[in-house]
Amino acid sequence: MLQIDLHSHSTVSDGSLIPADLVRHAAGQGIKVLALTDHDDMAGLAEARATAADAGIAFITGTEISVTWNRHTVHIVGLKIDPDSPELRAGLEAIRAGRVGRAAEIAAALEKVGIQGSLEGAYAFANERVIGRMHFAHFLVQQGYAKDVSSVFRKYLVRGKPGYVPHTWAPLEDAVRWIRGAGGVAVIAHPGRCDFGSTTLRALLGEFRELGGTGIEVVTGSHTAEQAHLFAGHAKHYGLLASVGSDYHGPGQKYLEMGRLPPLPEGCAPIWQDWPEAAVLQD
Ligand code: AMP
Ligand code: MN
Ligand code: MN
Ligand code: MN
């Protein structure tokens, strides 16, 4: 099993463990190199870094940036970013402001199908910074509208359902520029979950590379073995390095438990190949 995990969430965004508990959990699962990549926020990085030092594991700073590319939502993970970068901080702050407006629109849309109080309800599950669909999902489950988070997404929160509102996130070129400007590397998150076909995906990969993108998640909590193989091929073709991440959101949440990711397919160039932090990994 892989001892490196470069994609995870805490209560700073839509995960259910506070950063310190997330890091301790990762260490307990045998992870030796961990990145915290909260959606559109870096507020958990200091706590996670300090806990990682105590727990004796290597820590990689990160964030997962919400992007709109050709009208599609795409997630870009930034790794090894400087959390003090003014441009990155300002960019993420603007995305979070957009989330506040979107949350009000989601609540209004849910009200139209008779669901009252979802804005306050969702905020009760969120911290004061990042509000997202997961927090609405927790409220709707609590209120008995569906049995779990997955079914609530299917019934209410995905495109075409009553609580879905279209939203424009950051441009791809801005996200890549912020990450690079903060000294980091940009990675396309879970490409297998993109809502478009292979022609569009190829256009994305080419453009991302042109813009200075570095990597693509090949092994993730939401990829099958076939998808890992497919994206390993794409990585090679487009000159992108291979990343790995569980996309862990907490105990019992969707996606994989930490420490359960399979190795990269043969012939992949890992994004951590030159990272001093990764020297602790056994192969
Ligand atoms: P947002 O960025 O607020 O639109 O929310 C996206 C987040 O919602 C993802 O990072 C997942 O944590 C969660 N999510 C998206 N789709 C689903 C789904 N079908 N089932 C469960 N969680 C989902
Ligand atoms: Mn999430
Ligand atoms: Mn994502
Ligand atoms: Mn994620």
Side-chain angles (χ1 to χ4, degrees):
M1 292 297 140
L2 278 167
Q3 297 176 314
I4 181 166
D5 191 329
L6 299 175
H7 189 149
S8 69
H9 297 273
S10 76
T11 46
V12 164
S13 61
D14 57 4
S16 60
L17 298 178
I18 61 165
D21 287 344
L22 176 85
V23 171
R24 284 191 278 263
H25 180 72
Q29 292 291 116
I31 295 297
K32 300 270 193 283
V33 181
L34 176 73
L36 173 62
T37 57
D38 275 307
H39 296 285
D40 308 315
D41 208 328
M42 304 184 287
L45 298 179
E47 176 182 320
R49 177 187 287 293
T51 311
D54 286 346
I57 68 172
F59 183 69
I60 305 293
T61 55
T63 184
E64 180 176 15
I65 305 184
S66 308
V67 158
T68 298
W69 174 80
N70 278 357
R71 294 190 301 279
H72 299 284
T73 298
V74 174
H75 285 175
I76 302 297
V77 163
L79 298 172
K80 306 199 111 200
I81 44 171
D82 172 5
D84 294 325
S85 161
E87 207 194 5
L88 177 58
R89 291 173 73 93
L92 297 183
E93 200 176 321
I95 300 176
R96 293 197 299 273
R99 283 183 170 278
V100 172
R102 182 186 69 149
E105 291 177 44
I106 293 175
L110 288 171
E111 221 167 291
K112 288 202 179 121
V113 293
I115 300 174
Q116 311 292 330
S118 70
L119 190 59
E120 298 71 25
Y123 271 104
F125 286 99
N127 68 38
E128 70 284 4
R129 298 177 66 100
V130 183
I131 181 85
R133 281 184 293 165
M134 185 78 98
H135 307 112
F136 282 89
H138 287 314
F139 167 74
L140 292 167
V141 172
Q142 180 200 49
Q143 297 297 305
Y145 288 102
K147 67 176 193 322
D148 56 24
V149 162
S150 284
S151 37
V152 109
F153 264 89
R154 269 199 309 277
K155 270 170 80 173
Y156 291 101
L157 297 172
V158 297
R159 194 197 312 241
K161 299 299 165 156
Y164 182 84
V165 292
H167 187 71
T168 304
W169 303 103
L172 179 64
E173 58 184 299
D174 288 9
V176 174
R177 194 184 67 251
W178 299 335
I179 292 167
R180 288 173 58 101
V185 287
V187 176
I188 296 178
H190 43 67
R193 274 163 51 207
C194 288
D195 62 351
F196 40 77
S198 73
T199 307
T200 308
L201 179 76
R202 284 166 195 279
L204 170 65
L205 295 175
E207 198 175 318
F208 179 68
R209 188 77 182 91
E210 285 286 297
L211 289 170
T214 300
I216 178 172
E217 288 182 351
V218 168
V219 163
T220 88
S222 55
H223 280 177
T224 62
E226 290 71 31
Q227 285 175 315
H229 187 76
L230 173 74
F231 292 112
H234 283 323
K236 205 166 196 169
H237 183 83
Y238 288 92
L240 293 166
L241 300 176
S243 191
V244 304
S246 59
D247 207 358
Y248 185 68
H249 280 71
Q253 304 294 321
K254 206 177 156 80
Y255 314 126
L256 212 58
E257 175 55 273
M258 287 193 151
R260 301 269 172 84
L261 290 173
L264 282 170
E266 284 294 303
C268 279
I271 196 161
W272 60 88
Q273 60 191 4
D274 298 327
W275 294 1
E277 296 88 346
V280 297
L281 298 173
Q282 297 148 7
D283 32 39

